[in-house]
Amino acid sequence: MRAGAGPSSRRLRPPGSLGGKLVWMLTGIGLIAATALTLLMAMVIVPSFNRLERQQVLAQADRTRAALADYARVMESVARASGEGVAPQAMASLDVEGVAWVGLEGRVRSARWVDAGQTTGNAAMRDALAAAAGSLDFARVLEGRGSASFYLRMGGRLAAVGVARVPGNGHVLMARTIGSRQLSSLLQLAARIDLSHAANALEMAPGSSTLVVGVPVPGPRGEPVATAAFSVSRDISTLGTRLLLLAVIGSSLLLAFVLIVLRRAITRLVLRPLNRVEQHMGVVRESGELDLLTEAPRNDEIGSLVASFNSMLRQLQGLREQLEAQSFAMGRSESAVAVMHNVRNALNPVTTVMSQGLDRPPAVDRATLDRALAELVEGRIPAARRRKLVAFLAAAIEAGDAERDERHRQLDIGREALRHVLDIIGRQQEVANARPQLGSCDLVAIVAQNAVIARYSGGTAIEFRYPAEPCWVLANRVILSQVVGNLFSNAVEAIAATGRGEGSIAVTIEQVGERVRIRIRDDGEGFDADIADRLFQRGYSTREEKSGGLGLHWCANSMRAMEGTLALESLGRGYGACAMLSLKAASVLGIQAEVVAAVG
């Protein structure tokens, strides 16, 4: 077969997924937004709550300083009011544990220490009080004032001390100890006096849940002599951390929810409609059917795209119909050559029959037959010779009858071919300027008729195989017969080109839905795949010794005019070729109506 498959449908490589790109973009934007929001909240929330916590700590430290100052000022007030007239019994009522008198020369005149609940003095604390009073530089402590208060360490204990000047008599010093219990009572929270460490400034030691604060306890000249330590719960900073964590989690969940909603919205509103458009374009590309895309009406860009796509399909459908009509009209208007091509194919069997009839010698030589008859007429020949002559004449008569029958058979084939030629010529004017009239045709009968004719198209012995059961299709019988005849003629030429002198053509028919598919396969020379795109072009032929190339071009146009298709394929030279036709199946009701009309 000298033609091959039409342009093979090549699957396009799918573009990058728009949905995937959008998802990655949204995910990246969400991560960037979540990170920026986290940093922003960390820069705002955490410092704010830390400032609140520091303000709380500073306020508590101020309360501690004030409480310590008030505790010491009580001793200052007692010292200023009592002078030298403080009896041991009055010390308990004044909440004074120690008292010392220092003369103008700086010498301790007397010292007394009475622990709470005791009536006798504590010698160790008294000595410590005397030593502390003797070491004080009252001029520097008082700095020109009449009294002062501060804290001193005495005998391993911390005491609040009040000092007052006694005019003309020296100075009086009042003291009472303060411990962790008294400090806790003053501050109304757990606190302790740390004598092992004297903080120079406010100290804060942060922990996981509490903050340990150290407040300096001032001495005679403001220097620290001990540390008042207490713990502050870090509720505010913990609250800030939790609020930050909650804000981060909430914003992340919100962003995730927004991303999911946006993804689904984009998928439903954009990607799915675009996917349906793409799939429909794939169906149009694969099948060639220009069916419109059915979508719910939309007033957005997708709706405009679908409307434009359907408008394009309508225009393409109209252009296809115009092109088919023009192609068919052009093919029929070119029929001065195309019809001669078909007539030539149809006349080939007639030429072959006539050539075989003229070239075949008679079965019995006429002179020999006349001599045999003359001998029998004489009557003087022996009986054995007579029997031989009679047998010879009988065989000659039988050979003549066989030769006559064969000539009649060949003449019937030639007559059928001539009738086919007359049909082609007679219908040409009828269908030259109009689309062919379609009706129910028995495809198997058309194949069988053209198979008989194709056997005499050349000197090659062809074996045909085709179904026996009728198969009805919707076509124009004459045009379909020409198409099948052309394809058979091409197959015979392809088989002859192999030089084998023989070959086979197999025809298979199957019905799929409302279409009938016909495959005509030969074992001829085949064709190369690189010429597949040019096979149906007008004027193209795979035979260098022939010109024209109208056969397949006309066949393709004729099949389209009958609402059918024609395609050819081959695995390459030496592998044969296959023609694939597709036509509408004729309905049973249509066949019955045509039969009734024909009978009527």
Side-chain angles (χ1 to χ4, degrees), residues 21-85:
K21 292 180 180 178
L22 289 176
V23 169
W24 279 110
M25 290 175 61
L26 291 175
T27 303
I29 293 172
L31 290 176
I32 293 173
T35 304
L37 186 60
T38 301
L39 293 177
L40 179 62
M41 288 188 294
M43 293 172 61
V44 173
I45 294 177
V46 174
S48 299
F49 279 83
N50 286 341
R51 283 195 299 270
L52 290 176
E53 183 180 66
R54 183 172 181 81
Q55 291 174 3
Q56 180 191 20
V57 171
L58 293 177
Q60 188 62 41
D62 291 341
R63 286 184 61 240
T64 303
R65 292 191 187 95
L68 290 173
D70 291 342
Y71 192 84
R73 274 196 292 269
V74 171
M75 293 296 97
E76 180 182 355
S77 300
V78 172
R80 192 169 54 243
S82 299
E84 296 184 7

Side-chain angles (χ1 to χ4, degrees), residues 17-346:
S17 171
L18 177 61
K21 292 180 180 178
L22 289 176
V23 169
W24 279 110
M25 290 175 61
L26 291 175
T27 303
I29 293 172
L31 290 176
I32 293 173
T35 304
L37 186 60
T38 301
L39 293 177
L40 179 62
M41 288 188 294
M43 293 172 61
V44 173
I45 294 177
V46 174
S48 299
F49 279 83
N50 286 341
R51 283 195 299 270
L52 290 176
E53 183 180 66
R54 183 172 181 81
Q55 291 174 3
Q56 180 191 20
V57 171
L58 293 177
Q60 188 62 41
D62 291 341
R63 286 184 61 240
T64 303
R65 292 191 187 95
L68 290 173
D70 291 342
Y71 192 84
R73 274 196 292 269
V74 171
M75 293 296 97
E76 180 182 355
S77 300
V78 172
R80 192 169 54 243
S82 299
E84 296 184 7
V86 180
Q89 294 78 7
M91 292 174 62
S93 62
L94 294 175
D95 200 15
V96 175
E97 295 177 306
V99 59
W101 289 269
V102 181
L104 293 174
E105 70 283 3
R107 184 174 60 84
V108 179
R109 295 179 181 178
S110 64
R112 187 184 308 125
W113 189 273
V114 180
D115 283 333
Q118 297 183 7
T119 57
T120 59
N122 188 309
M125 289 301 297
R126 183 190 60 203
D127 295 340
L129 176 61
S135 64
L136 286 176
D137 185 353
F138 289 96
R140 295 185 61 186
V141 170
L142 294 175
E143 295 180 346
R145 296 172 297 176
S147 61
S149 60
F150 47 85
Y151 285 86
L152 287 176
R153 298 173 63 171
M154 298 179 187
R157 298 166 70 179
L158 182 65
V161 176
V163 177
R165 181 182 297 112
V166 180
N169 201 14
H171 299 84
V172 63
L173 186 147
M174 300 289 183
R176 64 174 174 179
T177 60
I178 182 172
S180 298
R181 182 172 57 84
Q182 289 88 351
L183 182 61
S184 299
S185 178
L186 289 174
L187 300 179
Q188 298 298 311
L189 55 82
R192 61 185 179 85
I193 297 297
D194 186 3
L195 296 176
S196 62
H197 171 67
N200 293 320
L202 181 66
E203 294 181 347
M204 289 182 287
S208 58
S209 58
T210 58
L211 187 66
V212 179
V213 182
V215 179
V217 179
R221 291 183 295 275
E223 76 282 4
V225 295
T227 301
F230 57 89
S231 298
V232 178
S233 177
R234 305 197 66 182
D235 294 337
I236 296 178
S237 60
T238 302
L239 179 62
T241 303
R242 290 177 180 176
L243 182 60
L244 175 62
L245 182 61
L246 182 62
V248 170
I249 294 175
S251 61
S252 299
L253 292 178
L254 179 60
L255 287 173
F257 176 75
V258 171
L259 289 176
I260 292 173
V261 171
L262 285 176
R263 178 178 179 180
R264 291 190 176 181
I266 292 174
T267 300
R268 184 175 65 86
L269 297 177
V270 179
L271 298 181
R272 287 180 183 173
L274 289 179
N275 188 35
R276 286 193 291 269
V277 173
E278 182 184 5
Q279 290 178 352
H280 192 75
M281 292 176 66
V283 171
V284 171
R285 182 176 63 248
E286 296 292 338
S287 66
E289 299 294 334
L290 299 178
D291 297 330
L292 299 182
L293 176 61
T294 56
E295 282 285 331
R298 295 176 55 169
N299 296 324
D300 54 9
E301 288 80 0
I302 299 297
S304 177
L305 174 64
V306 172
S308 300
F309 180 69
N310 285 335
S311 177
M312 180 187 68
L313 290 179
R314 291 190 189 94
Q315 293 178 3
L316 288 176
Q317 194 169 12
L319 291 174
R320 170 185 280 184
E321 292 177 356
Q322 294 177 12
L323 182 60
E324 289 178 357
Q326 291 173 1
S327 297
F328 183 76
M330 182 180 294
R332 299 306 290 171
S333 64
E334 292 171 344
S335 293
V337 178
V339 170
M340 295 305 298
H341 173 84
N342 295 336
V343 169
R344 184 202 66 185
N345 289 340

